[in-house]
Amino acid sequence: MSGLDRQRLARLAGVMQHHVEQDRVGGVAWMLAAGDQVEVGVAGRLTRGESAPVRRDSVFRISSMTKPIVAVAALILVEEYLLRLDDPVDALLPELSDRRVLVDARGPIDGETVAAQRPITLHDVLTFRLGIGMDFAAPWPQPFLDALAELELGAGPPEPQVPPPPEEWMRRLSTLPLLYQPGERWLYNIGADVLGVLIARVAGQPLDVVLRDRVFEPLGMVDTAFSVAEVNRFGTCYGTDPTGARFVFDPSDGQWAKPPAFPSGAAGLVSTVDDLHAFARMLLSGGRLPDGSRLLSRASIDAMTTDQIDVAHGAAGPLPDGSQGWGFGVGVQVRRTGLGPPVGSYGWAGGLGSIWSNDPSNGLLGVLLSTDAFAGPFPPPAVIQDFWTGAYTALDT
């Protein structure tokens, strides 16, 4: 059974405090759990220049860490026999039927097209191979993302109050072609928003209700939602412009202060370290709840956390070095590149300053939430790199 060395945990806490003192991050909360040992740390303030410190129950924007949660909801519906992985989504998402596909995926959005060779399936949506999204390997700007932004469908950092309601969101999306044939290439982000709409339609309930009833309440995730109930526990999110200057991306009473018209399955949720611990612990235990009952089967967890896109044989994936594949809503480590999570670990990060990973081989899970958005996708900021260094050097097996 793995444990965590307290002297090295104290060293990690000192490093996190140093990042705050150097103003590399305004506020941060983290959790490490190995077996029954759960360690939580906090440093800094929810808003720079104000008195409210980060606490264990502080609420943060988790942005893309929404994706694994929505994937779990989809798998619950598969286990309820309401969805099937290999079925076309046409019946539930008719806006995505009979698609046209660009001949040049990186060319103009109104360029030459051909017919899609087959329908989009739920498996395509879960693995982000439905043919649309952000291409991490393509140059910028990307015409498809520019079109998404023009249609207010969400193409950059999350802005919950901008996209229209789901029906209108899907209608606008249907006016755009696919970039690649269904199943051909991993493309980031928008698949999770499509998945959120699909889940709501099959369940006959808004996405926030589906998540509340099927995921949050069973797990006791009382502070996870698409808006903030207690603004005093919520802080400011800061961004960094191309010159390195910091700016307020979203104040505490900003975009998450009221429910959105479009609950984003890609990046809409807020949460706490304890709520995310409950979610991660369920996955690490093979789908079990604390009382021993199951939220998901072992089979679903295994499929979710297995690389489904075959990065080992050259498929495009989340990281440019090919060290991470993609399961259902999670990145899966296929090659270890440093002191951080080893092969077989899985999790994801949120661009507004959060990260989570489960490491089954060591029985370890880690969550870090912060007030400061990443300046870019690669490499991770120093506070994230130091968190994983501290986690794995504290691991005592």
Side-chain angles (χ1 to χ4, degrees), residues 105-289:
R106 300 180 181 182
I109 202 70
D110 59 354
E112 181 185 357
T113 62
V114 295
Q117 295 169 359
R118 64 167 176 81
I120 296 166
T121 66
L122 175 59
H123 194 277
D124 295 328
V125 177
L126 279 165
T127 58
F128 288 7
R129 293 184 297 180
L130 67 167
I132 48 176
M134 182 187 304
D135 189 343
F136 283 177
W140 299 84
Q142 295 183 14
F144 182 81
L145 299 184
D146 290 342
L148 287 180
E150 185 175 336
L151 293 170
E152 297 184 327
L153 298 180
E159 297 179 283
Q161 300 305 319
V162 173
E167 299 303 311
E168 174 61 14
W169 191 92
M170 285 300 305
R171 187 197 68 77
R172 295 184 191 181
L173 184 65
S174 71
T175 66
L176 301 176
L178 303 185
L179 300 176
Y180 291 91
Q181 290 287 341
E184 183 179 355
R185 186 180 179 89
W186 186 89
L187 298 167
Y188 188 55
N189 195 58
I190 200 167
D193 275 333
V194 171
L195 182 64
V197 176
L198 186 153
I199 287 169
R201 287 184 178 178
V202 73
Q205 298 173 307
L207 181 60
D208 60 313
V209 175
V210 179
L211 294 182
R212 182 196 67 198
D213 292 351
R214 286 175 164 86
V215 181
F216 302 152
E217 288 187 353
L219 287 169
M221 297 172 67
V222 295
D223 292 313
T224 306
F226 287 103
S227 59
V228 181
E230 300 177 51
V231 175
N232 64 317
R233 292 165 53 200
F234 194 52
T236 298
C237 179
Y238 299 90
T240 305
D241 70 19
T243 71
R246 183 182 298 116
F247 64 93
V248 172
F249 171 73
D250 188 63
S252 58
D253 60 354
Q255 296 255 342
W256 278 265
K258 64 179 181 179
F262 181 80
S264 169
L269 290 173
V270 299
S271 193
T272 63
V273 289
D274 278 295
D275 277 12
L276 291 168
H277 173 237
F279 177 77
R281 181 182 56 193
M282 177 274 296
L283 293 175
L284 202 57
S285 66
R288 291 194 182 277
L289 299 172

Side-chain angles (χ1 to χ4, degrees), residues 80-132:
E80 292 178 6
Y81 301 101
L82 296 174
L83 289 171
R84 296 180 186 88
L85 287 171
D86 294 322
D87 277 2
V89 299
D90 293 4
L92 290 166
L93 302 173
E95 298 93 339
L96 296 183
S97 62
D98 300 321
R99 304 307 297 154
R100 303 291 297 181
V101 183
L102 283 173
V103 172
D104 180 2
R106 300 180 181 182
I109 202 70
D110 59 354
E112 181 185 357
T113 62
V114 295
Q117 295 169 359
R118 64 167 176 81
I120 296 166
T121 66
L122 175 59
H123 194 277
D124 295 328
V125 177
L126 279 165
T127 58
F128 288 7
R129 293 184 297 180
L130 67 167
I132 48 176

